[in-house]
Amino acid sequence: MDRETRLKRLRFRAWHRGVKEADLMIGGFFDAHHTGWNDAEIELFEALLEEQDVDIMAWAMGTQSVPPEYEGTIMAALKTLNYVPIAE
């Protein structure tokens, strides 16, 4: 599958997690960061989306330790939490 199609599928999965808070966190993160990802980072994000939302959110907020396979640039960016869209 080409890169553009792959990213469109990832965007859908990131924004349709089933819980509004996870949608905002994971979808907002995808929208803010995906344009700069290389193929390895896209693969890592795909793997991350297979994890439970509560785990992803706990890793991002620092309430649980991040598994070694997810440590790196994507998790560091996810931990900043500055990408979550907040309605005013």
Side-chain angles (χ1 to χ4, degrees), residues 5-82:
T5 302
R6 195 173 180 190
L7 289 172
K8 284 180 184 178
R9 287 182 179 198
L10 281 177
R11 184 176 195 283
F12 182 86
R13 290 182 60 205
W15 276 103
H16 295 87
R17 303 298 296 174
V19 177
K20 184 69 171 178
E21 292 83 357
D23 292 348
L24 291 171
M25 177 180 279
I26 299 167
F29 174 76
F30 176 84
D31 285 352
H33 294 280
H34 77 279
T35 57
W37 290 346
N38 60 35
D39 289 341
E41 290 169 320
I42 290 171
E43 286 179 29
L44 183 63
F45 189 73
E46 284 175 328
L48 185 66
L49 290 182
E50 296 299 322
E51 299 293 338
Q52 296 294 315
D53 294 341
V54 293
D55 292 331
I56 297 169
M57 294 172 75
W59 300 333
M61 292 185 281
T63 58
Q64 286 185 17
S65 298
V66 178
E69 63 267 27
Y70 295 120
E71 284 290 357
T73 57
I74 286 191
M75 191 54 65
L78 190 64
K79 287 180 176 183
T80 65
L81 298 175
N82 64 354

